[in-house]
Amino acid sequence: MQIKEIFSSQLPVGEKLTIKRNRFSPTEEKSGNKRVSIVSGIHGDELEGQYVIYLLATWLANNPNALRGTIDLYPGVNALGIDSITRGFPIYEVDLNRSFPGGDKEFLPGQLVDALAQDVKGSDIAIDIHSSNIFLREIPQIRINKEFSEATLPLAKKLNCDFIWIHDAVTVLEATFSHTMNKLGTKTLVVEMGVGMRLTKEYGVQLLNGILNLLKSEGIIVTDEEYEQREPFSSEIGDVFYINSPKSGLFVAELNHCAMIEKGQKVGSIVNPLNGEILEELFAPNGGIMFTLREYPVVYEGSLIARIFGNPDNEKN
Amino acid sequence: MKKIEILTIESLNRSPLTIEGYLFEGSDPKAASVAIVGAMEGKTVLPLYSASKLVEFLRNEIGNKEKIRGNILIIPSINHYALNLGERFWPLDKTDLNMIFPGYGAGETTQRIAHKVFEALSGYDYGISLETRNDLSSCISYISLLQSGYEDIPSARKCGLRLIHHKEMKPTDTVSLQYNWQLWGTKALSIICPSDTKIETDGYKEIFESMVRFLYAIGSIEYKVMLGYDSNIVYNKGIEIVKTPKSGIFIPTKKTGASVAKEEMIGKIINALEGNVVHRIFAPCDGVITCVYNNGLILENALAFRILKNASA
């Protein structure tokens, strides 16, 4: 276990910003050993990854002889954001995950992401753990850019998540950590799970099992433990259906997150607390699994309420 | 002048957000048309003020409809909700509206806002977006023109501002208003305004006059103002970055727009608890200060100044 500051900046008044990495290395270094980097907290309001990394650090500390490769943990990239419940980099108000690849001559957030990218560079695999945001709750899922899916999809299937979403290449997403690292030759996966500002323990344990499974199958750890794996839904064989709020108001959910849902089933209502009026009732446009559900109840017209994955026009997927 | 409603969105607890445009219909259908967008962010007070003064000018100063030849649409504010709270971005989810164009009519709230605004802005010959920098610095007023392949430098020169930053595209620029406007055939540019949130009486004039000059130069209005600068085209390599190796209280001793000589002192950093000077910042080259960090407290390695090197101008 070796803790290193990968980025630091003295703050104006008696404090220092530091971004830390913890490296777990095998007792016996061999050429050809693989390296995996696990990153979380690029968004300061997303904490689920902190718990997963805690669980992984505990496992690694308790199983030092299992290591056959290097594992780098970066639990709190946006350290100031995490401690101030701020999604972006405080003071500058910028989204770090839209600031990659950054550079030494850029403004401070650009220098920070550059330092992270340079430190992770050379890893064989990277996993960037997100928690959606404070507005939406997500089942454990992997997001993959189609551009890199040939290399990353086989890895994603080992991570014990419920859903793999392969999305089209979008230029604006080239400013993300995952795109930058994939371009630099590190196979990088993005995990989305849970909800902002909270921990979901069962999801943390589920992803830990997936990460250990991946590490074992890549020969980075050696262990007799068997890790049961879920068979994820994949967006290759179905469609994603969106429910956006048709009205502004207060969203009251009718269903639990992650439920299997039938076409036409009621998802919830938009209500007005002032006069007790139901402004709109919302129904599933398609059957399938509701993998995203609105968590923060205040909505505007257009706010995302839910996402359902299923086969089109299938009543009962 | 016609006031047109572009979009209304209801809110659970706030007044509805109604985005309005001021349309000045020109007397000559063949004359160039222009659309101008003011505040997209909540802290862009100068863009808001400059756009609203242009509305007043066209309505009261020019008055005579014959002198307005081409259609002119001005949307002084898109993001009232943020302006009224002193927030920078869309208050609920902190979305930057200038990172969501061309929008999507069936998408998220901010995508719908961008979609409706973009519909209203489409089809104009020229477009001006008034913005501020997003890196916690203030600057001299200048044109930012993306190297998109669709940009039009000759029209950008017509504003007569001192600098045109011919900016390399970043991935996030592909969802900006300027880029999407250009993609759809409008000769669009951004005027980057100083990030002042307090306005002095004449604080808007340079921006305001550059827009009037532009409107006259493209034949949209008959109202001549004094000639502006023969704009310098600037690229990133011509800008010297000055970082501070120390954190503390930042006191710039030179302002934006100042000409400086190499090794001239331009700022200092004070120990925030003990009051002593911990670092003096000297100009690394001869040039003009284009941007200054816009906060009294500064972090180690933050960008304190940007200087346009003389040889590059």
Side-chain angles (χ1 to χ4, degrees):
Chain A
M1 191 188 311
Q2 198 178 11
I3 293 175
K4 180 189 169 190
E5 290 180 5
I6 63 151
F7 178 84
S8 72
S9 171
Q10 191 69 38
L11 300 183
V13 191
E15 187 189 354
K16 189 176 173 188
L17 162 66
T18 55
I19 312 301
K20 291 175 189 158
R21 177 195 77 193
N22 191 1
R23 169 164 290 180
F24 289 84
S25 303
T27 44
E28 210 176 312
E29 294 272 6
K30 283 185 184 168
S31 64
N33 277 354
K34 287 185 175 174
R35 180 179 156 212
V36 174
S37 293
I38 317 281
V39 173
S40 83
I42 289 179
H43 290 136
D45 60 350
E46 299 180 8
L47 308 175
E48 304 273 13
Q50 299 243 311
Y51 182 60
V52 177
I53 291 181
Y54 156 74
L55 293 173
L56 182 58
T58 304
W59 192 95
L60 293 169
N62 291 337
N63 297 276
N65 297 326
L67 262 182
R68 298 293 182 274
T70 299
I71 299 173
D72 286 334
L73 307 180
Y74 307 77
V77 173
N78 184 4
L80 293 178
I82 291 169
D83 272 35
S84 58
I85 323 177
T86 309
R87 185 171 181 80
F89 186 88
I91 312 164
Y92 286 86
E93 298 182 74
V94 295
D95 184 340
L96 290 178
N97 213 23
R98 296 291 180 277
S99 303
F100 284 91
D104 186 45
K105 290 192 168 180
E106 289 207 11
F107 68 152
L108 208 69
Q111 295 174 40
L112 188 157
V113 298
D114 174 52
L116 175 66
Q118 292 306 320
D119 205 72
V120 175
K121 188 177 166 183
S123 301
D124 297 280
I125 298 168
I127 301 171
D128 179 19
I129 307 172
H130 287 260
S131 320
S132 182
N133 53 36
I134 63 166
F135 301 100
L136 301 168
R137 181 176 285 278
E138 303 276 3
I139 63 172
Q141 59 197 269
I142 314 286
R143 304 265 174 92
I144 288 180
N145 185 330
K146 196 179 269 180
E147 186 182 347
F148 306 111
S149 61
E150 198 178 322
T152 54
L153 184 58
L155 303 177
K157 289 179 176 172
K158 296 174 180 171
L159 272 179
N160 197 32
C161 285
D162 297 289
F163 181 46
I164 296 173
W165 190 352
I166 303 168
H167 59 81
D168 289 329
V170 183
T171 312
V172 68
L173 295 182
E174 290 175 12
T176 60
F177 171 77
S178 63
H179 191 278
T180 299
M181 297 320 303
N182 275 310
K183 276 283 183 195
L184 289 171
T186 296
K187 294 171 187 170
T188 304
L189 301 160
V190 176
V191 176
E192 289 279 0
M193 64 178 205
V195 65
M197 291 190 193
R198 298 287 180 270
L199 300 182
T200 313
K201 283 178 80 175
E202 63 269 30
Y203 288 171
V205 172
Q206 181 181 336
L207 183 59
L208 173 72
N209 280 342
I211 292 172
L212 291 173
N213 179 58
L214 175 68
L215 295 174
K216 184 179 175 182
S217 70
E218 292 290 314
I220 297 162
I221 59 170
V222 174
T223 171
D224 292 334
E225 286 183 57
E226 293 295 330
Y227 300 102
E228 200 176 317
Q229 292 301 299
R230 295 171 185 233
E231 187 67 36
F233 296 93
S234 168
S235 64
E236 290 170 305
I237 48 153
D239 287 339
V240 174
F241 299 87
Y242 294 75
I243 303 176
N244 292 78
S245 180
K247 291 266 172 68
S248 301
L250 195 73
F251 171 64
V252 182
E254 191 79 16
L255 299 170
N256 287 327
H257 179 237
C258 196
M260 291 303 292
I261 187 169
E262 293 182 11
K263 184 176 182 178
Q265 197 172 343
K266 190 174 171 185
V267 173
S269 306
I270 310 294
V271 303
N272 182 345
L274 188 63
N275 59 14
E277 188 185 354
I278 296 173
L279 299 170
E280 201 81 45
E281 291 182 305
L282 305 173
F283 300 93
N286 202 85
I289 182 164
M290 191 166 62
F291 66 94
T292 304
L293 182 63
R294 184 89 185 170
E295 178 82 7
Y296 190 76
V298 174
V299 295
Y300 282 98
E301 178 190 329
S303 293
L304 185 61
I305 298 291
R307 284 187 281 232
I308 297 165
F309 172 73
N311 291 322
D313 300 318
N314 188 340
E315 300 278 333
K316 281 188 184 179
N317 276 295
Chain B
M1 184 209 77
K2 274 200 302 202
K3 209 181 201 184
I4 56 171
E5 183 179 316
I6 293 165
L7 163 83
T8 291
I9 283 191
E10 300 288 333
S11 163
L12 180 60
N13 292 300
R14 299 182 70 170
S15 301
L17 168 69
T18 300
I19 299 172
E20 291 169 318
Y22 296 83
L23 178 63
F24 297 87
E25 290 177 301
S27 56
D28 180 359
K30 290 180 184 165
S33 60
V34 188
I36 296 168
V37 175
M40 267 191 280
E41 290 183 13
K43 290 185 179 172
T44 49
V45 180
L46 207 49
L48 177 70
Y49 187 42
S50 305
S52 64
K53 292 302 284 183
L54 192 61
V55 171
E56 185 204 29
F57 169 78
L58 293 174
R59 187 159 64 177
N60 300 330
E61 187 78 17
I62 287 197
N64 180 352
K65 191 174 179 300
E66 291 302 308
K67 288 189 175 177
I68 299 179
R69 296 175 53 79
N71 284 350
I72 302 170
L73 173 68
I74 302 171
I75 306 176
S77 164
I78 292 173
N79 202 345
H80 316 350
Y81 275 5
L83 284 159
N84 289 330
L85 295 184
E87 292 257 1
R88 187 166 159 200
F89 300 127
W90 180 248
L92 188 67
D93 62 9
K94 317 299 178 203
T95 302
D96 181 350
L97 290 177
N98 202 19
M99 275 182 56
I100 206 149
F101 282 95
Y104 175 46
E108 279 266 13
T109 312
T110 46
Q111 290 176 309
R112 293 179 187 209
I113 292 171
H115 172 73
K116 282 282 186 186
V117 168
F118 197 66
E119 268 187 348
L121 294 173
S122 295
Y124 284 85
D125 298 316
Y126 296 91
I128 298 176
S129 170
L130 300 175
E131 300 166 20
T132 56
R133 290 186 65 87
N134 64 359
D135 61 356
L136 209 60
S137 69
S138 194
C139 59
I140 60 172
S141 303
Y142 69 92
I143 306 278
S144 176
L145 198 63
L146 297 169
Q147 294 179 22
S148 63
Y150 304 97
E151 73 275 29
D152 186 57
I153 292 178
S155 62
R157 285 187 179 280
K158 289 173 180 165
C159 289
L161 285 172
R162 207 164 163 181
L163 302 179
I164 296 171
H165 182 200
H166 200 195
K167 189 179 170 232
E168 286 171 27
M169 288 276 294
K170 288 185 171 183
T172 47
D173 289 322
T174 59
V175 282
S176 68
L177 171 59
Q178 184 192 138
Y179 177 75
N180 284 282
W181 229 347
Q182 288 177 357
L183 211 58
W184 289 87
T186 294
K187 291 175 180 171
L189 57 90
S190 301
I191 297 179
I192 309 298
C193 307
S195 304
D196 304 332
T197 49
K198 288 181 184 171
I199 304 294
E200 293 176 11
T201 310
D202 292 336
Y204 71 99
K205 276 201 168 167
E206 188 181 21
I207 301 154
F208 169 80
E209 285 175 3
S210 74
M211 290 192 288
V212 174
R213 193 178 296 121
F214 182 86
L215 292 173
Y216 171 74
I218 61 169
S220 286
I221 61 170
E222 290 178 13
Y223 188 96
K224 202 169 181 181
V225 292
M226 286 178 69
L227 290 172
Y229 288 97
D230 181 10
S231 307
N232 297 286
I233 311 289
V234 175
Y235 298 91
N236 283 353
K237 63 184 178 191
I239 304 280
E240 191 76 32
I241 302 295
V242 185
K243 293 201 269 188
T244 167
K246 297 283 184 184
S247 65
I249 295 170
F250 174 56
I251 302 180
T253 53
K254 294 285 182 184
K255 293 182 175 177
T256 54
S259 292
V260 292
K262 187 176 180 181
E263 294 181 1
E264 185 179 353
M265 194 175 92
I266 55 178
K268 54 190 173 183
I269 309 294
I270 309 291
N271 181 313
L273 299 176
E274 298 174 8
N276 55 305
V277 176
V278 291
H279 180 68
R280 288 184 173 81
I281 304 172
F282 299 96
C285 59
D286 295 345
V288 173
I289 295 176
T290 57
C291 294
V292 179
Y293 182 78
N294 195 30
N295 197 11
L297 298 176
I298 196 163
L299 287 74
E300 178 190 355
N301 284 327
L303 257 65
F305 294 93
R306 281 187 164 85
I307 298 176
L308 174 62
K309 293 182 272 192
N310 269 353
S312 311

